[in-house]
Amino acid sequence: MHRDTLIVHAGYRKHGEPGPFLPGPQFSSTYSSPGAPSQHALTYGRFHNPTWTAWEEALGTLEEGHAVAFASGMAAVAAVLGVCLRPGDVLVLPADAYYTIRRLAAGWLEPLGVQVRLAPTRDNAQADALEGARLLWLETPSNPQLDICDIRALVEAAQMRGALVAVDNTTATAYLQQPLGLGATYVVASDAKGLTGHSDLILGHVATADDERADALRTWRTQHGAIPGPMEVWLAHRSLATLPLRVSRQCASAQELAQFLDGQPGVETVRYPGLPGHPGHEIAARQMRAFGSIVSFDLGSRARADAFLGALTLVREATSFGGVHSMAERRARWGGDAVSEGFIRFSVGCESVDDIITDVTRGLKAAISR
Ligand SMILES: *Cc1c(COP(=O)(O)O)cnc(C)c1O
């Protein structure tokens, strides 16, 4: 069957099996389990939960690997770093990696004796930092600058040096990009963004093709305790069936918005991997099914960016991305990314693209009057 069809049914009860299509959330901290614990599939709520099992089966279909769900994207990131790295190891991170991952590496891993090397995503620059590395961390498209690196080429470079590879796939989602199929050891994502798309929960997951690595991640989760809540997992699973519809619409609208913005007065640069002039366009076209829901652009100054955001009446000013409701923010307000003061990260939702462009036109008019 078509992949979209498999996603609509992923992790649901099998066709012909009586009962709900998708069982409701299982709220249990403990389960009746007399005698030897090994006789029971369910014993204690930090070890397992049938709601997680169904969700992980669905994620496994998407990633084509074994998936382990976590309480947040950062819990998933920390689990991969935790199971891979020991004092003396070298971690190669994107210099433009998600800000909190860079903070975690500097604040937790470096004091433990892990050497952290930073190199940009663009131009596969991380390939030159791999000597002696234990783990290569990739993020493509990077957030918020939407730079692209070649996953397959970097996996090959890492394998030659015996390094593992993890890909933060949050911006693309497993719908658009499957790093395990390109040879990565791990794929990691925040499921608070485009994968679930309704801006109503925080979750994360890791997937790997390797059984033993998946077991090690489950042990990490049990021991560190960053377990997902059953309500969040059930909401996420409920959202997954519309993933192909949502993301297809968002990508088509994002492409249209990017083309509209390119050349508009007041817009200094537009970054979208779907624009032929984007430096990573050809690689993205090879390794992604479409180019994603985020369009970034520079309005040249903080005053212009603030005027743009202040004039919007449909698009909400908020952080995060990938939701069905369009949102935008002036990224420099956080201080963690190397972006200019007028840089806008725009997340295209599922509204009519005409309405989105009408709102953006209103914003741009306000911006250029500043
Ligand atoms: C949001 C995000 C994370 C962290 O995920 P949380 O669910 O917020 O913990 C990690 N990487 C990227 C690229 C993100 O956008």
Side-chain angles (χ1 to χ4, degrees):
M1 274 188 269
H2 193 283
R3 186 158 181 262
D4 289 5
T5 311
L6 296 177
I7 293 170
V8 173
H9 292 266
Y12 275 56
R13 208 170 280 217
K14 300 283 168 278
H15 187 271
E17 240 177 71
F21 293 8
L22 180 67
Q26 178 66 58
F27 296 108
S28 286
S29 61
T30 188
Y31 303 87
S32 296
S33 52
S38 60
Q39 293 181 324
H40 300 282
L42 300 171
T43 53
Y44 185 59
R46 184 159 38 77
F47 305 162
H48 31 226
N49 178 299
T51 311
W52 306 349
T53 307
W55 171 236
E56 287 173 344
E57 189 190 319
L59 291 172
T61 301
L62 270 166
E63 301 283 13
E64 299 185 51
H66 308 286
V68 184
F70 286 90
S72 66
M74 282 313 301
V77 168
V80 172
L81 298 174
V83 298
C84 290
L85 297 169
R86 294 292 171 268
D89 284 347
V90 174
L91 166 67
V92 179
L93 273 185
D96 44 353
Y98 184 69
Y99 177 62
T100 312
I101 301 176
R102 284 181 278 132
R103 296 309 309 152
L104 187 73
W108 170 52
L109 292 173
E110 283 188 329
L112 287 178
V114 173
Q115 191 192 324
V116 179
R117 284 185 203 146
L118 299 175
T121 295
R122 201 167 167 167
D123 299 327
N124 296 335
Q126 289 176 272
D128 297 330
L130 286 175
E131 206 47 57
R134 170 69 181 154
L135 178 64
L136 169 64
W137 191 272
L138 305 178
E139 185 183 322
T140 179
S142 65
N143 168 28
Q145 308 230 42
L146 307 181
D147 278 324
I148 302 285
C149 63
D150 186 329
I151 297 174
R152 195 186 285 282
L154 285 161
V155 162
E156 279 166 16
Q159 279 171 347
M160 269 167 31
R161 292 168 180 83
L164 306 170
V165 180
V167 179
D168 184 335
N169 205 32
T170 305
T171 52
T173 78
Y175 185 59
L176 297 180
Q177 181 168 273
Q178 291 175 288
L180 298 183
L182 300 170
T185 327
Y186 299 98
V187 56
V188 183
S190 167
D191 300 335
K193 318 284 172 59
L195 188 79
T196 61
H198 289 71
S199 307
D200 54 2
L201 57 86
I202 300 280
L203 276 180
H205 77 269
V206 184
T208 171
D210 184 314
D211 254 330
E212 282 174 24
R213 292 191 188 281
D215 270 343
L217 289 164
R218 280 185 211 105
T219 301
W220 175 279
R221 179 177 66 185
T222 300
Q223 293 176 347
H224 288 255
I227 57 164
M231 188 67 194
E232 281 82 356
V233 170
W234 181 79
L235 281 170
H237 204 156
R238 188 182 187 277
S239 301
L240 195 68
T242 55
L243 178 73
L245 281 174
R246 284 187 278 112
V247 175
S248 304
R249 169 84 169 238
Q250 286 170 290
C251 292
S253 299
Q255 182 79 38
E256 214 172 309
L257 177 64
Q259 284 164 359
F260 168 79
L261 285 168
D262 205 12
Q264 285 292 313
V267 180
E268 299 198 345
T269 51
V270 183
R271 290 168 165 267
Y272 185 66
L275 292 176
H278 185 286
H281 176 68
E282 274 165 39
I283 299 168
R286 247 193 342 263
Q287 71 190 13
M288 301 176 76
R289 283 186 174 79
F291 300 102
S293 63
I294 307 173
V295 180
S296 293
F297 50 97
D298 197 336
L299 294 176
S301 72
R302 176 176 177 166
R304 285 188 159 195
D306 284 339
F308 172 82
L309 293 168
L312 300 175
T313 64
L314 169 67
V315 178
R316 290 161 199 263
E317 184 176 351
T319 198
S320 193
F321 56 84
V324 294
H325 308 96
S326 292
M327 53 190 129
E329 69 173 332
R330 196 179 67 81
R331 196 58 196 171
R333 68 182 176 142
W334 294 97
D337 303 312
V339 293
S340 61
E341 288 294 325
F343 185 97
I344 299 281
R345 181 179 71 184
F346 194 108
S347 171
V348 178
C350 289
E351 303 92 347
S352 153
V353 67
D354 294 342
D355 291 332
I356 295 171
I357 288 177
T358 301
D359 208 33
V360 166
T361 304
R362 185 171 15 245
L364 290 178
K365 217 170 130 194
I368 57 177
S369 70
R370 292 301 302 260

